[in-house]
Amino acid sequence: MTKLPDFEGLAMFAKVAEEGSFAAAARAMGVSVATVSRGVARLEERLGARLFNRTSRQLALTEFGGTIAEKAGDIYRQAQEAENAAKEMSIHPRGLIRLAVPMSFGLRWVAPLLPNFFRAYPEVSIDLHLSDATVDIVAQGFDAALRVAALPDSSLIARRLCRVNQLLVASPQYVQQCGRPTHPRELVGRPCLSYAYRASSDVWRFVNDAGDEESVTPIGPLRVTNADALLPMLLDGLAIAELPEFIAGEYLADGRLEVLLPEWHLTRGGLYFVTPSARARPARITALADYFAQHLSELVWYRSR
Protein backbone atom coordinates (compact mmCIF):
# COMPACT_ATOMS: atom_id res chain seq x y z
CA MET A 1 0.00 0.00 0.00
CA THR A 2 1.28 3.43 -0.89
CA LYS A 3 2.24 5.66 2.02
CA LEU A 4 0.64 8.65 0.30
CA PRO A 5 -2.85 9.39 1.71
CA ASP A 6 -5.80 8.86 -0.64
CA PHE A 7 -6.60 12.56 -0.95
CA GLU A 8 -9.05 12.00 -3.79
CA GLY A 9 -10.94 9.35 -1.83
CA LEU A 10 -11.03 11.58 1.27
CA ALA A 11 -12.29 14.52 -0.81
CA MET A 12 -15.06 12.44 -2.37
CA PHE A 13 -16.06 10.98 0.99
CA ALA A 14 -16.19 14.48 2.52
CA LYS A 15 -18.35 15.79 -0.31
CA VAL A 16 -20.78 12.86 -0.09
CA ALA A 17 -21.06 13.37 3.68
CA GLU A 18 -21.71 17.09 3.13
CA GLU A 19 -24.22 16.69 0.29
CA GLY A 20 -25.98 13.62 1.69
CA SER A 21 -25.87 11.63 -1.55
CA PHE A 22 -23.48 10.26 -4.13
CA ALA A 23 -25.38 11.93 -6.96
CA ALA A 24 -25.28 15.39 -5.36
CA ALA A 25 -21.58 15.04 -4.57
CA ALA A 26 -20.88 13.95 -8.15
CA ARG A 27 -22.70 17.02 -9.52
CA ALA A 28 -20.84 19.35 -7.16
CA MET A 29 -17.46 17.86 -8.09
CA GLY A 30 -18.14 17.61 -11.82
CA VAL A 31 -17.55 13.87 -12.04
CA SER A 32 -19.72 10.79 -12.53
CA VAL A 33 -21.57 9.01 -9.74
CA ALA A 34 -19.57 5.89 -10.56
CA THR A 35 -16.31 7.81 -10.02
CA VAL A 36 -17.45 9.00 -6.60
CA SER A 37 -18.67 5.54 -5.66
CA ARG A 38 -15.34 3.98 -6.65
CA GLY A 39 -13.42 6.62 -4.73
CA VAL A 40 -15.36 6.05 -1.53
CA ALA A 41 -15.16 2.24 -1.92
CA ARG A 42 -11.40 2.49 -2.41
CA LEU A 43 -11.08 4.59 0.73
CA GLU A 44 -13.19 2.13 2.73
CA GLU A 45 -11.00 -0.74 1.58
CA ARG A 46 -7.89 1.19 2.50
CA LEU A 47 -9.21 2.08 5.96
CA GLY A 48 -10.72 -1.34 6.55
CA ALA A 49 -14.16 -0.09 7.64
CA ARG A 50 -17.43 1.10 6.12
CA LEU A 51 -18.01 4.84 5.98
CA PHE A 52 -21.70 4.81 5.01
CA ASN A 53 -24.72 2.64 5.64
CA ARG A 54 -26.52 2.47 2.30
CA THR A 55 -30.10 1.52 1.55
CA SER A 56 -32.17 2.14 -1.56
CA ARG A 57 -33.67 5.24 0.03
CA GLN A 58 -31.17 6.42 2.61
CA LEU A 59 -27.50 7.14 3.04
CA ALA A 60 -26.12 7.61 6.52
CA LEU A 61 -22.67 7.85 8.04
CA THR A 62 -21.53 4.92 10.08
CA GLU A 63 -20.16 5.60 13.53
CA PHE A 64 -16.67 5.21 12.06
CA GLY A 65 -17.51 7.51 9.14
CA GLY A 66 -18.81 10.14 11.51
CA THR A 67 -15.54 10.20 13.44
CA ILE A 68 -13.48 11.15 10.37
CA ALA A 69 -16.03 13.14 8.31
CA GLU A 70 -15.13 16.49 9.90
CA LYS A 71 -11.38 15.98 9.39
CA ALA A 72 -11.93 14.83 5.81
CA GLY A 73 -14.04 17.96 5.23
CA ASP A 74 -11.23 20.13 6.62
CA ILE A 75 -8.75 18.49 4.24
CA TYR A 76 -11.11 19.08 1.30
CA ARG A 77 -11.63 22.75 2.18
CA GLN A 78 -7.92 23.35 2.73
CA ALA A 79 -7.14 21.80 -0.64
CA GLN A 80 -9.77 24.03 -2.28
CA GLU A 81 -8.32 27.11 -0.58
CA ALA A 82 -4.79 26.20 -1.65
CA GLU A 83 -5.89 25.62 -5.24
CA ASN A 84 -7.89 28.86 -5.35
CA ALA A 85 -4.95 30.80 -3.92
CA ALA A 86 -2.63 29.28 -6.53
CA LYS A 87 -5.05 30.15 -9.32
CA GLU A 88 -5.34 33.68 -8.00
CA MET A 89 -1.56 34.05 -7.96
CA SER A 90 -1.32 32.71 -11.51
CA ILE A 91 -3.74 35.42 -12.68
CA HIS A 92 -2.80 38.39 -10.49
CA PRO A 93 0.88 39.20 -9.80
CA ARG A 94 1.57 38.60 -6.13
CA GLY A 95 4.10 36.82 -3.96
CA LEU A 96 7.89 36.62 -3.69
CA ILE A 97 10.36 36.57 -6.59
CA ARG A 98 13.89 35.36 -5.92
CA LEU A 99 15.93 37.21 -8.56
CA ALA A 100 19.67 36.92 -9.30
CA VAL A 101 21.37 39.85 -11.06
CA PRO A 102 25.03 40.75 -11.78
CA MET A 103 26.10 43.26 -9.16
CA SER A 104 27.26 46.21 -11.28
CA PHE A 105 24.35 45.93 -13.67
CA GLY A 106 21.90 45.50 -10.81
CA LEU A 107 23.08 48.59 -8.96
CA ARG A 108 23.18 50.80 -12.07
CA TRP A 109 20.17 49.66 -14.07
CA VAL A 110 17.89 47.33 -12.06
CA ALA A 111 17.65 48.97 -8.64
CA PRO A 112 16.51 52.32 -10.12
CA LEU A 113 13.62 50.52 -11.87
CA LEU A 114 12.26 48.87 -8.73
CA PRO A 115 10.29 51.78 -7.18
CA ASN A 116 7.97 52.04 -10.19
CA PHE A 117 7.69 48.26 -10.42
CA PHE A 118 6.49 48.04 -6.83
CA ARG A 119 4.07 50.89 -7.43
CA ALA A 120 2.61 48.94 -10.33
CA TYR A 121 2.61 45.60 -8.47
CA PRO A 122 2.22 46.30 -4.74
CA GLU A 123 1.53 42.64 -3.89
CA VAL A 124 4.86 41.44 -5.33
CA SER A 125 8.10 41.36 -3.35
CA ILE A 126 11.63 40.67 -4.62
CA ASP A 127 14.55 38.97 -2.93
CA LEU A 128 17.35 40.54 -5.02
CA HIS A 129 20.61 38.58 -5.08
CA LEU A 130 23.47 40.73 -6.41
CA SER A 131 26.58 38.82 -7.42
CA ASP A 132 28.83 38.57 -10.46
CA ALA A 133 29.24 34.83 -9.93
CA THR A 134 26.92 32.80 -12.17
CA VAL A 135 24.26 31.15 -10.04
CA ASP A 136 22.56 27.84 -10.71
CA ILE A 137 19.01 29.17 -10.62
CA VAL A 138 17.47 25.70 -10.41
CA ALA A 139 19.74 24.26 -7.72
CA GLN A 140 19.77 27.49 -5.69
CA GLY A 141 16.04 28.03 -5.88
CA PHE A 142 15.88 31.26 -7.89
CA ASP A 143 12.74 32.12 -9.81
CA ALA A 144 14.60 34.16 -12.43
CA ALA A 145 17.92 35.81 -13.26
CA LEU A 146 19.28 38.57 -15.46
CA ARG A 147 22.41 37.46 -17.28
CA VAL A 148 24.84 39.52 -19.32
CA ALA A 149 26.53 37.09 -21.70
CA ALA A 150 26.76 35.46 -25.07
CA LEU A 151 24.35 32.92 -23.66
CA PRO A 152 25.22 29.26 -24.35
CA ASP A 153 22.60 26.64 -25.08
CA SER A 154 20.97 25.33 -21.93
CA SER A 155 17.75 23.90 -20.56
CA LEU A 156 16.81 27.33 -19.22
CA ILE A 157 14.31 29.63 -20.87
CA ALA A 158 16.05 32.84 -21.96
CA ARG A 159 14.39 36.04 -23.22
CA ARG A 160 16.82 38.45 -24.88
CA LEU A 161 16.20 42.03 -23.76
CA CYS A 162 18.99 44.00 -25.48
CA ARG A 163 22.55 43.82 -26.76
CA VAL A 164 25.54 44.29 -24.45
CA ASN A 165 28.99 44.52 -26.01
CA GLN A 166 32.36 44.35 -24.29
CA LEU A 167 34.78 47.21 -24.98
CA LEU A 168 38.53 47.59 -24.61
CA VAL A 169 39.12 50.90 -22.83
CA ALA A 170 41.80 53.11 -21.33
CA SER A 171 42.02 56.70 -20.18
CA PRO A 172 43.31 59.54 -22.38
CA GLN A 173 46.23 59.87 -19.92
CA TYR A 174 47.24 56.27 -20.58
CA VAL A 175 47.08 56.78 -24.35
CA GLN A 176 49.13 59.96 -24.10
CA GLN A 177 51.81 58.36 -21.93
CA CYS A 178 51.99 54.84 -23.43
CA GLY A 179 50.69 55.23 -26.97
CA ARG A 180 47.61 53.85 -28.67
CA PRO A 181 47.71 50.16 -29.70
CA THR A 182 46.66 49.57 -33.31
CA HIS A 183 46.50 45.77 -33.24
CA PRO A 184 45.61 43.23 -30.50
CA ARG A 185 49.17 41.86 -30.67
CA GLU A 186 50.40 45.23 -29.35
CA LEU A 187 48.62 44.53 -26.05
CA VAL A 188 51.31 41.99 -25.15
CA GLY A 189 53.60 43.53 -22.55
CA ARG A 190 51.10 46.23 -21.57
CA PRO A 191 49.33 46.24 -18.17
CA CYS A 192 45.97 44.63 -18.96
CA LEU A 193 43.57 44.12 -16.06
CA SER A 194 41.36 41.04 -15.92
CA TYR A 195 37.92 40.02 -14.67
CA ALA A 196 37.55 36.72 -12.84
CA TYR A 197 34.04 35.81 -13.99
CA ARG A 198 34.51 36.08 -17.74
CA ALA A 199 32.49 33.36 -19.47
CA SER A 200 35.37 32.53 -21.81
CA SER A 201 38.09 32.41 -19.12
CA ASP A 202 40.99 34.88 -19.11
CA VAL A 203 41.51 35.16 -22.85
CA TRP A 204 40.47 38.23 -24.84
CA ARG A 205 39.32 37.11 -28.28
CA PHE A 206 39.21 39.79 -30.95
CA VAL A 207 37.54 39.66 -34.37
CA ASN A 208 37.53 42.37 -37.03
CA ASP A 209 35.11 42.96 -39.88
CA ALA A 210 37.37 41.07 -42.27
CA GLY A 211 37.03 37.95 -40.12
CA ASP A 212 40.56 38.01 -38.74
CA GLU A 213 40.90 36.63 -35.22
CA GLU A 214 43.42 37.34 -32.49
CA SER A 215 43.61 36.04 -28.91
CA VAL A 216 45.41 37.82 -26.07
CA THR A 217 45.85 36.74 -22.48
CA PRO A 218 45.66 39.86 -20.32
CA ILE A 219 48.53 40.17 -17.87
CA GLY A 220 48.53 42.94 -15.32
CA PRO A 221 48.71 43.82 -11.63
CA LEU A 222 45.00 43.46 -10.86
CA ARG A 223 42.34 40.76 -11.27
CA VAL A 224 38.87 41.40 -9.85
CA THR A 225 35.52 39.71 -9.24
CA ASN A 226 33.59 42.92 -9.91
CA ALA A 227 34.37 45.08 -12.92
CA ASP A 228 33.73 48.35 -11.06
CA ALA A 229 36.93 47.66 -9.13
CA LEU A 230 38.88 48.18 -12.36
CA LEU A 231 37.80 51.81 -12.72
CA PRO A 232 40.27 53.50 -10.32
CA MET A 233 43.24 51.93 -12.12
CA LEU A 234 41.79 52.84 -15.50
CA LEU A 235 40.89 56.42 -14.59
CA ASP A 236 44.35 56.93 -13.08
CA GLY A 237 45.93 56.06 -16.43
CA LEU A 238 47.71 52.93 -15.21
CA ALA A 239 46.22 50.16 -17.36
CA ILE A 240 43.92 48.83 -20.06
CA ALA A 241 40.83 46.75 -19.34
CA GLU A 242 37.73 45.21 -20.87
CA LEU A 243 34.44 46.69 -19.65
CA PRO A 244 30.81 46.07 -20.59
CA GLU A 245 29.01 48.97 -22.21
CA PHE A 246 26.72 49.48 -19.25
CA ILE A 247 29.72 50.35 -17.05
CA ALA A 248 31.93 52.09 -19.62
CA GLY A 249 29.16 54.20 -21.15
CA GLU A 250 29.11 57.13 -18.73
CA TYR A 251 32.93 57.38 -18.73
CA LEU A 252 33.07 57.30 -22.52
CA ALA A 253 30.37 59.96 -22.68
CA ASP A 254 32.32 62.46 -20.56
CA GLY A 255 35.74 61.58 -22.01
CA ARG A 256 37.30 59.98 -18.94
CA LEU A 257 37.76 56.76 -20.92
CA GLU A 258 38.08 56.00 -24.61
CA VAL A 259 37.70 52.89 -26.75
CA LEU A 260 40.85 51.20 -27.97
CA LEU A 261 41.03 49.10 -31.15
CA PRO A 262 37.54 50.18 -32.32
CA GLU A 263 37.92 48.18 -35.53
CA TRP A 264 38.28 44.98 -33.48
CA HIS A 265 35.38 43.49 -31.56
CA LEU A 266 35.37 41.63 -28.27
CA THR A 267 32.39 39.58 -27.07
CA ARG A 268 29.10 40.64 -28.60
CA GLY A 269 26.53 39.45 -26.11
CA GLY A 270 23.21 40.44 -24.68
CA LEU A 271 21.10 40.92 -21.60
CA TYR A 272 18.79 37.96 -20.95
CA PHE A 273 15.90 37.32 -18.58
CA VAL A 274 16.34 33.67 -17.64
CA THR A 275 13.87 31.34 -15.90
CA PRO A 276 13.87 27.60 -15.20
CA SER A 277 10.78 26.98 -17.34
CA ALA A 278 8.18 28.84 -19.38
CA ARG A 279 5.42 26.38 -18.45
CA ALA A 280 2.91 27.40 -15.78
CA ARG A 281 4.90 30.58 -15.10
CA PRO A 282 3.35 32.57 -12.23
CA ALA A 283 1.90 35.95 -13.10
CA ARG A 284 4.48 37.73 -10.94
CA ILE A 285 7.34 36.31 -13.06
CA THR A 286 5.62 37.26 -16.31
CA ALA A 287 4.97 40.76 -14.95
CA LEU A 288 8.65 41.21 -14.05
CA ALA A 289 9.85 39.85 -17.41
CA ASP A 290 7.51 42.20 -19.29
CA TYR A 291 8.54 45.15 -17.11
CA PHE A 292 12.23 44.55 -17.78
CA ALA A 293 11.52 44.07 -21.49
CA GLN A 294 9.80 47.46 -21.52
CA HIS A 295 12.52 49.34 -19.64
CA LEU A 296 15.72 47.50 -20.57
CA SER A 297 15.23 46.75 -24.26
CA GLU A 298 16.34 50.10 -25.71
CA LEU A 299 19.01 51.29 -23.33
CA VAL A 300 21.42 54.03 -24.30
CA TRP A 301 24.62 53.11 -22.53
CA TYR A 302 26.56 56.15 -23.68
CA ARG A 303 25.03 58.74 -21.44
CA SER A 304 25.57 60.22 -18.01
CA ARG A 305 23.15 58.81 -15.48
Side-chain angles (χ1 to χ4, degrees):
M1 179 186 296
T2 177
K3 294 182 179 180
L4 185 68
D6 186 353
F7 292 109
E8 183 182 63
L10 286 166
M12 290 180 175
F13 161 63
K15 201 62 178 173
V16 173
E18 178 185 332
E19 297 289 341
S21 78
F22 281 79
R27 285 194 298 271
M29 302 180 80
V31 297
S32 69
V33 174
T35 298
V36 176
S37 180
R38 285 194 299 270
V40 173
R42 184 179 66 245
L43 183 63
E44 288 178 324
E45 182 179 355
R46 180 187 179 100
L47 299 178
R50 292 182 63 81
L51 297 169
F52 295 104
N53 287 318
R54 305 170 179 83
T55 68
S56 59
R57 295 185 177 181
Q58 189 177 10
L59 180 73
L61 286 165
T62 64
E63 183 179 354
F64 175 73
T67 63
I68 68 169
E70 183 177 352
K71 291 183 178 179
D74 289 341
I75 292 172
Y76 181 73
R77 285 186 291 275
Q78 289 170 12
Q80 280 187 313
E81 290 170 3
E83 187 174 272
N84 290 338
K87 288 179 178 178
E88 180 73 11
M89 289 177 66
S90 70
I91 298 172
H92 302 289
R94 63 175 57 176
L96 175 66
I97 300 172
R98 296 197 67 229
L99 176 68
V101 179
M103 182 172 289
S104 294
F105 187 84
L107 293 174
R108 280 177 166 81
W109 300 97
V110 175
L113 295 177
L114 295 182
N116 284 339
F117 177 80
F118 289 128
R119 289 190 186 99
Y121 302 103
E123 295 183 82
V124 176
S125 59
I126 295 176
D127 182 352
L128 182 61
H129 177 87
L130 294 170
S131 173
D132 285 1
T134 300
V135 300
D136 184 331
I137 67 174
V138 175
Q140 294 177 246
F142 286 98
D143 299 298
L146 286 176
R147 288 188 174 167
V148 179
L151 203 66
D153 292 336
S154 75
S155 60
L156 302 176
I157 306 301
R159 178 176 180 179
R160 190 177 190 274
L161 302 179
C162 66
R163 62 147 179 87
V164 181
N165 294 329
Q166 300 292 120
L167 304 172
L168 193 70
V169 297
S171 69
Q173 298 97 303
Y174 176 88
V175 173
Q176 183 178 2
Q177 293 170 6
C178 303
R180 182 185 302 277
T182 60
H183 192 280
R185 288 193 294 269
E186 295 177 23
L187 297 175
V188 176
R190 293 176 182 253
C192 295
L193 311 182
S194 56
Y195 174 62
Y197 291 131
R198 292 186 85 254
S200 54
S201 70
D202 286 335
V203 178
W204 291 348
R205 292 183 172 84
F206 295 88
V207 180
N208 64 15
D209 291 337
D212 301 320
E213 298 184 9
E214 289 286 342
S215 295
V216 175
T217 300
I219 298 176
L222 181 64
R223 186 172 186 263
V224 301
T225 58
N226 181 274
D228 273 301
L230 300 173
L231 288 168
M233 290 282 287
L234 288 170
L235 297 174
D236 209 43
L238 297 177
I240 295 169
E242 170 198 39
L243 288 179
E245 290 177 295
F246 62 81
I247 293 179
E250 63 179 287
Y251 300 96
L252 296 170
D254 62 19
R256 284 181 287 171
L257 292 177
E258 56 186 77
V259 175
L260 303 180
L261 303 176
E263 67 279 12
W264 291 84
H265 307 293
L266 282 160
T267 304
R268 287 178 164 176
L271 172 67
Y272 294 87
F273 184 85
V274 181
T275 55
S277 173
R279 293 183 297 175
R281 176 182 290 177
R284 64 185 183 276
I285 306 300
T286 299
L288 184 63
D290 291 344
Y291 184 80
F292 282 156
Q294 178 183 358
H295 294 281
L296 296 175
S297 61
E298 295 183 1
L299 289 176
V300 180
W301 308 119
Y302 292 78
R303 62 176 174 82
S304 298
R305 293 182 297 113

